[in-house]
Amino acid sequence: MPLYKTRRGLFIHICVLILVFFSVSSFSMETSSGSSDNSMSSAAPSGPSVKNLMLSVANLSLTEGRTGTKNRQGFSPRNCLLAANGGSLQGIQETRINGLPQYQAGFAKSTLVPPPLFPGTIWGSNSMGDGWDFQGSRLQSGAKSFVPNLNYSPSGSVVDEGASIVGSNTGLSDYSVVKNQEKPNNVRNFICLLQGDRFVNYCLDKDGSRTLHGLLSLRDPEITCQICKKVLDLSSRGIPIFFELMLNQHGWQVFSELIDSLNHQQLKLITYVITKDLSIFIALTFHTHGSNLIKKVIRILRRSHLISFVTNNLCAAFLLIMTNRIGSYVVSECLNHLRAEDNKALYEAAITWCLDLAIDHEGSIALIRVINTIQGLQRYRLLNILSRNAVFLSQDPEGNYVIQKVISLNNPLFTQNVCHLLIGHYETISLQKGGSHIVEKCLDTEWKGWIIENFLSNTNTLLHVAKDAFGNYVIQKALKVTKKSGSPLYHKLLSRLKPHLSILQSGYGRNVFNLITGGQSVTKV
């Protein structure tokens, strides 16, 4: 009786009876050549045959959904979708996108719905509540959710709870690495409620910044877009919000995560906003958090033409930035990570301002970092300017370090320039702390004869230098290098100094006295 519940069942039953009838008839005809007794005996096993045949027909209905079988309308079951009433929706076509089957029902405004890639239980959650908690999940492990309860209304929202969003115990500031996408609309609505100074205060709060950091880590394009728009607005004080974030110990972390979440167009907009006001850009480079974020932008844009926004600003305020300890490292970030063509303008600025940088404490340190990276013709031009001004820089408390760097490069051209230009000035610079180091370095070069001859030209000058707090190390160095090389200049120095050993026995001259008479010289500090 179950076959008669539908017309389809009735049709199948009739077909079965017809097949049984023809099968029995055929079987009888094949055995008709025998006796009637044989006919009666052959009819006996027909019962099991009919039963097997009916089972075979029933099995055909069970395999109707297999690939390659045809239904009675001629449609492959793979290209039809069985309806709940046992019928079929014809004309449904299969398409494949990225190798996954998607079914199009033929309706004008229908959308392709891909089959789920994973079962709903793959996330380890037995049930999903209204909030963001993974209840029953091993991922939970006692951690709090991003937003435990986002079912709120604007009139009584969690933002207003406790009269202030900063420091509130609403759970909105709790941070979690669990990335649940079940309530994206509620999250976006929550971000929309953070308007103006509320958004600023939330970013500058420790817990609030961690929450926004976590939401940005979801990499939801709409969430990122919403936060990006808010960051680019002005606060009630007329100050750009991004500026307040980049200078704050908590806000800069939100901005850092935002940079990682941006697409190319958004990153272009952020870069333009940061660099469009030179005074704001300079203030950012002077601040620890701000400079770290700009250096991060530099690393992200190192292969993009957008890097010119940053390098142009650095060139425009090159001297000011390079003479600041924190700001100078922003330029160094460019020199270490950008291509040679991108750094060309920065190197030109360094060549232009090299003398001003050399006589500044932070500037001289930054200039030495430039010397370490600059190459080609620009390197030649920079070292040529510095070596030609060796007399001036050698007597400067900061510039002498730059000249020492030039000599330590062991470039014969520039070292010779320095040694030659200092002739006539060796006595003066030997009496200075920094200058004495330069003279000692020059005594290690092949042009040391120029220096010693300069001292030998005047005995009083030689004794004056030998008795000086810094100069005595220069004379000691001259005696050591000439003795080691077997130079006749060694004996000339001895002949000038020995008649005055009594003068050298006291004060700083005692170091030279001990060296000549076999005593141990004092190591220079």
Side-chain angles (χ1 to χ4, degrees):
M1 291 304 296
L3 292 174
Y4 294 96
K5 289 183 179 181
T6 64
R7 294 179 180 179
R8 181 186 180 93
L10 179 61
F11 177 78
I12 294 176
H13 187 66
I14 295 174
C15 291
V16 169
L17 293 179
I18 294 173
L19 288 173
V20 171
F21 174 78
F22 281 106
S23 298
V24 173
S25 300
S26 176
F27 182 82
S28 299
M29 291 177 63
E30 291 176 356
T31 57
S32 60
S33 57
S35 61
S36 59
D37 293 334
N38 294 335
S39 298
M40 293 298 295
S41 62
S42 65
S46 65
S49 299
V50 172
K51 183 178 180 181
N52 292 336
L53 183 59
M54 293 179 66
L55 290 175
S56 299
V57 173
N59 288 337
L60 286 175
S61 65
L62 293 177
T63 61
E64 186 179 12
R66 292 184 182 176
T67 303
T69 61
K70 299 284 185 177
N71 59 17
R72 50 193 169 87
Q73 284 89 358
F75 290 97
S76 171
R78 185 176 179 85
N79 292 329
C80 71
L81 183 65
L82 295 179
N85 61 358
S88 63
L89 300 176
Q90 301 180 13
I92 298 179
Q93 298 179 349
E94 177 187 346
T95 61
R96 301 187 72 85
I97 298 179
N98 296 329
L100 297 175
Q102 303 194 13
Y103 299 94
Q104 187 173 7
F107 298 102
K109 297 183 179 180
S110 62
T111 58
L112 298 178
V113 181
L117 297 178
F118 306 102
T121 59
I122 196 171
W123 305 112
S125 175
N126 296 330
S127 63
M128 297 299 298
D130 293 335
W132 280 51
D133 291 294
F134 280 72
Q135 301 179 13
S137 171
R138 289 179 295 176
L139 295 175
Q140 180 67 14
S141 65
K144 296 181 180 180
S145 64
F146 277 120
V147 185
N149 186 5
L150 291 177
N151 295 325
Y152 56 87
S153 62
S155 59
S157 68
V158 290
V159 178
D160 294 325
E161 183 176 344
S164 175
I165 193 170
V166 180
S168 65
N169 295 322
T170 61
L172 285 172
S173 59
D174 294 332
Y175 178 75
S176 172
V177 295
V178 180
K179 298 181 179 179
N180 186 358
Q181 300 275 4
E182 289 295 319
K183 298 291 184 180
N185 291 330
N186 289 344
V187 173
R188 294 162 190 154
N189 292 337
F190 158 68
I191 297 175
C192 286
L193 291 177
L194 295 174
Q195 296 293 338
D197 287 348
R198 282 184 173 179
F199 175 76
V200 176
N201 294 333
Y202 201 62
C203 291
L204 304 187
D205 176 66
K206 178 180 179 181
D207 294 330
S209 68
R210 296 180 68 197
T211 299
L212 293 177
H213 186 283
L215 293 178
L216 285 169
S217 67
L218 297 177
R219 296 298 187 266
D220 183 287
E222 188 170 342
I223 292 176
T224 300
C225 184
Q226 284 184 319
I227 296 179
C228 183
K229 289 180 179 178
K230 294 179 181 297
V231 167
L232 297 178
D233 287 339
L234 296 177
S235 67
S236 60
R237 297 178 295 277
I239 301 174
I241 292 179
F242 77 86
F243 182 73
E244 297 195 40
L245 265 58
M246 292 179 73
L247 300 185
N248 182 264
Q249 60 176 337
H250 303 303
W252 81 274
Q253 297 178 358
V254 177
F255 196 86
S256 177
E257 188 66 26
L258 176 64
I259 293 174
D260 289 331
S261 309
L262 299 178
N263 58 36
H264 180 75
Q265 292 300 324
Q266 292 168 336
L267 186 61
K268 181 178 181 179
L269 181 60
I270 286 287
T271 304
Y272 171 74
V273 170
I274 292 174
T275 57
K276 71 176 182 178
D277 190 316
L278 185 59
S279 60
I280 290 180
F281 179 83
I282 294 173
L284 291 173
T285 62
F286 287 179
H287 193 276
T288 301
H289 299 317
S291 65
N292 286 336
L293 290 174
I294 293 179
K295 287 188 286 187
K296 183 173 185 177
V297 171
I298 290 171
R299 291 192 294 270
I300 294 176
L301 299 179
R302 64 183 183 273
R303 300 293 182 184
S304 170
H305 69 279
L306 296 178
I307 194 62
S308 61
F309 284 92
V310 178
T311 55
N312 288 343
N313 269 17
L314 292 175
C315 290
F318 191 83
L319 181 61
L320 192 60
I321 293 175
M322 287 286 279
T323 52
N324 180 272
R325 182 178 59 85
I326 298 175
S328 64
Y329 282 99
V330 176
V331 178
S332 296
E333 193 75 14
C334 293
L335 303 183
N336 294 331
H337 291 90
L338 301 186
R339 297 169 295 187
E341 55 267 30
D342 295 325
N343 284 326
K344 186 175 181 181
L346 292 174
Y347 286 132
E348 285 297 323
I351 294 171
T352 301
W353 297 104
C354 65
L355 296 180
D356 298 89
L357 293 172
I359 59 177
D360 180 82
H361 177 67
E362 297 296 339
S364 63
I365 297 174
L367 182 59
I368 289 175
R369 292 199 296 266
V370 172
I371 294 174
N372 290 333
T373 58
I374 193 170
Q375 298 295 330
L377 181 60
Q378 288 180 314
R379 181 181 181 84
Y380 170 83
R381 290 168 56 202
L382 176 61
L383 296 179
N384 185 50
I385 293 174
L386 294 174
S387 63
R388 281 168 39 203
N389 290 273
V391 177
F392 164 67
L393 295 176
S394 296
Q395 301 181 63
D396 185 82
E398 308 300 338
N400 74 88
Y401 293 104
V402 177
I403 296 300
Q404 290 183 56
K405 177 64 178 180
V406 173
I407 298 173
S408 66
L409 296 175
N410 295 321
N411 186 301
L413 176 61
F414 304 117
T415 302
Q416 184 180 15
N417 284 345
V418 172
C419 293
H420 183 266
L421 289 172
L422 290 179
I423 294 176
H425 302 278
Y426 283 113
E427 177 188 3
T428 303
I429 62 177
S430 294
L431 303 180
Q432 302 169 5
K433 182 178 180 179
S436 65
H437 287 286
I438 293 177
V439 179
E440 288 185 57
K441 288 184 178 296
C442 291
L443 287 169
D444 281 326
T445 68
E446 58 183 297
W447 298 281
K448 57 181 175 289
W450 294 351
I451 306 166
I452 297 174
E453 290 289 352
N454 193 95
F455 286 128
L456 291 175
S457 62
N458 190 319
T459 303
N460 292 331
T461 298
L462 181 62
L463 291 175
H464 185 201
V465 174
K467 293 171 58 179
D468 184 73
F470 303 111
N472 77 92
Y473 296 103
V474 174
I475 302 304
Q476 290 182 69
K477 182 73 172 180
L479 290 169
K480 290 177 182 179
V481 296
T482 53
K483 182 179 181 180
K484 183 178 180 180
S485 62
S487 172
L489 293 175
Y490 174 69
H491 297 288
K492 289 184 178 183
L493 285 171
L494 288 179
S495 64
R496 293 292 181 89
L497 292 171
K498 280 184 177 181
H500 307 282
L501 288 178
S502 59
I503 300 176
L504 299 174
Q505 285 183 353
S506 59
Y508 294 106
R510 188 170 182 83
N511 296 328
V512 178
F513 173 84
N514 291 334
L515 183 62
I516 295 175
T517 60
Q520 296 296 324
S521 62
V522 179
T523 303
K524 184 175 182 180
V525 179

